[in-house]
Amino acid sequence: MIHTEAKRRVAITGVGMVTSVGLDADDTWAALLRGESGAGPITQFDPSGQPVRFACEVKGFDPLEYLDRKGARRADRFLQLAIAAATQAMEQAGFGDGLAHLPPDRTGVVVGVAVGGLPLLEAQHRKLLARGPRAVSPLLIPMFIPDMTVGLLSILYGARGPNYAAVSACASGGHSLGLAFRSIRRGETDVMIAGGTESAITPLAVAGFASMGSMSTRNDDPERACRPFDARRDGFVLGEGSGMLILEELEHARARGAEILGELAGFGQSADAYHMTAPAPDGVGARLAMQQALEDAGLTAGDIGYINANGTATPVGDAAETQAIKEVLGDHARSIVVGATKSMTGHPLGAAGGIEAVISMLVCRHGVIPPTINFEEADPECDLDYAHAGPIERPVSAALSNSFAFGGHNACLAIRRWDDN
């Protein structure tokens, strides 16, 4: 049965994160407030000969904390990270025992993945070249394809509602949350597991991004390499990880006595219609997505206290985003903080939107804004408050979380502090 009442409210009742600075949401949040960088020399393969030899890897992750040995063997790393973050979120939401007490067809899964199982694909291709077709694993396809994330999570929790992967490059996580949000609001579902995951630190990916000139080349100083909005920024640092949220129709959450952490209040999406990899210089697509998210949430520019910027530290991207923010918020843009947590987590591609939505919710919940690290020289084109001096304590009633991507994809989420109103 589809409910027809407009704009059912969507609560956030659980979150999970696995990042280069922490293996769960609490540890990641604490590391971000300390201004810790997750960047370091690449260990997942020998980077000798690569133009970029560092990344923001998830360190110390043990999939056996979330999967049995057989399950871990059958899940590529991006799947393992997603299951870990989703498990954390489900437990916090009070669904640690699965969904036995919920109608399975009212619970769905949407997860963003930009690349999928690239490490596995590269390894199996090497086997193909060295030993022929019979050496290729029969699990290659199911372990590689991006949509296996949502397939495995639906199997794990018995969720038979909407189930699909959003694939829109680095906007994938943002789009997945927006689509899940709309599913609940229009009455298709009551609970959605949504977010993003990625693990693509591989020889081919590193070489490909480096050949485009989109990554920082500061091999001698990885921790200081990612410097969003700084005048000497020279590109992003590749990361990996997963961020998952449990979204739940507000009255459904209240009826079962769930703790409400925040509210996902609006979603906007657009296209630049400009270039395969470069953002529109005037930020028109980013502006449209932010304006739509505000309107969808019933918020005004003056309601926003924080923006988790896409902030990848590319010369053109950061300037275009700053311009878009100023056009959307007007004079109020100089009263808020624009944070770029990718300066610490790196850029985890399809996982970015999920991770940064969790961070934005935590900012609203705790009234503390993580810093944007590695600032050294001001850029006249990037002239807002980016929390370069350290964490900032201030109440934030509403935040925007931006995710922009190659292909001109733009997604923006509006998140509100929960005050039981």
Side-chain angles (χ1 to χ4, degrees), residues 194-220:
T197 191
E198 202 79 78
S199 180
I201 302 174
T202 71
L204 187 60
V206 171
F209 282 123
S211 71
M212 294 175 61
S214 59
M215 289 202 301
S216 174
T217 57
R218 290 185 171 90
N219 290 301
D220 59 341

Side-chain angles (χ1 to χ4, degrees), residues 129-149:
L129 295 179
R131 295 161 48 194
R134 292 185 180 275
V136 174
S137 171
L139 294 174
L140 167 61
I141 301 303
M143 289 173 65
F144 164 71
I145 52 179
D147 68 292
M148 193 52 62
T149 309

Side-chain angles (χ1 to χ4, degrees), residues 76-140:
D76 196 62
R77 186 171 168 90
F78 82 104
L79 299 171
Q80 295 172 354
L81 297 175
I83 290 169
T87 299
Q88 294 170 16
M90 290 290 279
E91 290 179 350
Q92 184 176 33
F95 294 137
D97 58 349
L99 301 176
H101 57 295
L102 292 178
D105 58 350
R106 300 286 299 171
T107 301
V109 189
V110 185
V111 178
V113 186
V115 177
L118 191 58
L120 175 73
L121 183 65
E122 291 187 32
Q124 292 296 311
H125 186 246
R126 290 192 293 270
K127 285 187 177 182
L128 173 67
L129 295 179
R131 295 161 48 194
R134 292 185 180 275
V136 174
S137 171
L139 294 174
L140 167 61

Side-chain angles (χ1 to χ4, degrees), residues 275-345:
H275 189 272
M276 288 176 65
T277 56
D282 58 0
V284 59
R287 173 173 56 80
L288 287 170
M290 286 187 279
Q291 287 174 334
Q292 288 177 19
L294 286 174
E295 181 179 353
D296 194 36
L299 297 169
T300 67
D303 294 319
I304 302 301
Y306 170 71
I307 295 178
N308 190 296
N310 188 56
T312 56
T314 59
V316 176
D318 287 5
E321 185 172 13
T322 297
Q323 177 65 26
I325 291 169
K326 290 191 286 190
E327 290 185 10
V328 171
L329 300 188
D331 292 340
H332 184 64
R334 301 195 180 279
S335 302
I336 70 164
V337 177
V338 178
T341 48
K342 288 186 181 76
S343 62
M344 295 172 278
T345 66

Side-chain angles (χ1 to χ4, degrees), residues 26-45:
D26 288 343
D27 286 349
T28 295
W29 178 242
L32 294 176
L33 294 182
R34 292 192 298 267
E36 293 184 4
S37 170
I42 290 172
T43 64
Q44 295 181 26
F45 66 91

